[in-house]
Amino acid sequence: MREFPPRPGGARLAPDHDSLAFGVPGAAAGTIFALAIGGGITMGPREGRTLVFGRNRPDVHVCIGEDDRRVSRHQGELTHHADQWWVRSVGRIPLRLPGSRLLFPDDEPVPLATGYTPLFVRGSGRREHLMELFVAGDGDRPPAARHDETTQAPKIWKLSATERLVLVVLAQRYLYHEAHPQPLTWRQAADHLGELRAGESWGPKKVEHLVAAVRARLSRQGVAGLTREEVGEPVGNSLNHNLLRELMETTTLVPPDLRVLDGDE
């Protein structure tokens, strides 16, 4: 076994190095920083340059999951090609990227954007091993502290009264904070709306068209995960789930909205 030395243009990062989420010191554009609990490394950009990570500390640049046999000795690689760093999975279990994307050993490498990217490896039991990555862009600096600045409010989406009612009905399991919520079916939502507004005609197609219009509007304004093209087949409940999560996370819908289910509008 051999220990990989730092490559030219790079240096070791100590185990107590600050999280890369706080940014990195001034570095040449394209420099990559990789950090796990046992330390890490930086490497400057050069065509074909490769950074290896995995469980076998003597034979990798960054050791991750050193005491966990679920993690492969050679779990993955980061390679610089065509002015980008690409991550590739070569271990027995997939890597998990932001957005819950799983990268399997047979998958094509994925390019890293500039800035911060957390990468996870599922370990034994409930263990999750983190490797932080940061690709320096032009003029990257650690973000300045903003202790006294006004908190930035989330973007609250505008909904009509009818849209709000339909979406609260659809999202009630989320608003009740059930453990594993799913949207109501179109039929369930239509039946519930028919009970709440007995003088109106509600059918599954009417509910579906109204919710689809809200998804389309938010998608045009930059919300991801609301179209079939983004999610892929089979779609299942993914589009509505992503919509309801967005409405919850932006506080567009909040638990007190459940009052409408009691007829209190």
Side-chain angles (χ1 to χ4, degrees), residues 24-243:
V24 298
T31 299
I32 192 167
F33 293 69
L35 180 66
I37 193 170
I41 196 171
T42 74
M43 282 189 183
R46 190 173 70 189
E47 182 68 22
R49 180 168 281 172
T50 298
L51 184 159
V52 182
F53 59 93
R55 172 167 52 90
N56 190 13
R57 180 178 293 276
D59 208 33
V60 297
H61 293 99
V62 179
C63 183
I64 180 171
E66 184 171 20
D67 63 346
D68 192 337
R69 292 177 58 195
R70 180 82 180 270
V71 179
S72 294
R73 287 171 290 183
H74 184 180
Q75 182 65 49
E77 297 176 349
L78 294 152
T79 300
H80 192 264
H81 171 66
D83 296 324
Q84 280 189 294
W85 286 96
W86 300 73
V87 58
R88 182 165 72 99
S89 176
V90 297
R92 292 192 175 186
I93 54 177
L95 307 175
R96 193 173 84 248
L97 300 172
S100 297
R101 177 174 182 176
L102 295 178
L103 184 62
F104 291 87
D106 293 333
D107 290 343
E108 292 294 319
V110 172
L112 292 176
T114 57
Y116 180 74
T117 301
L119 182 152
F120 294 90
V121 180
R122 177 78 178 270
S124 56
R126 297 188 179 184
R127 299 183 69 184
E128 294 272 357
H129 303 283
L130 167 67
M131 185 169 76
E132 297 182 287
L133 304 172
F134 196 106
V135 179
D138 292 325
D140 271 320
R141 295 291 186 274
R146 298 181 174 183
H147 303 147
D148 299 324
E149 293 189 13
T150 303
T151 301
Q152 183 176 352
K155 179 178 179 61
I156 297 176
W157 299 103
K158 291 184 179 180
L159 300 173
S160 69
T162 300
E163 288 173 341
R164 180 173 296 277
L165 173 64
V166 171
L167 289 164
V168 169
V169 169
L170 195 70
Q172 57 189 272
R173 294 169 179 162
Y174 296 76
L175 294 167
Y176 281 124
H177 287 277
E178 293 185 6
H180 304 288
Q182 287 292 315
L184 266 62
T185 66
W186 301 131
R187 169 57 65 187
Q188 289 171 327
D191 289 347
H192 199 161
L193 287 161
E195 295 171 2
L196 292 172
R197 292 190 169 181
E200 300 179 8
S201 175
W202 284 95
K205 284 296 182 183
K206 182 176 180 179
V207 178
E208 181 179 359
H209 292 158
L210 186 147
V211 174
V214 176
R215 287 202 312 262
R217 188 169 75 237
L218 269 59
S219 178
R220 289 193 297 270
Q221 296 183 62
V223 179
L226 301 184
T227 67
R228 287 179 175 271
E229 292 74 19
E230 294 172 285
V231 171
E233 299 292 346
V235 172
N237 283 334
S238 297
L239 300 181
N240 285 343
H241 175 79
N242 293 343
L243 171 65

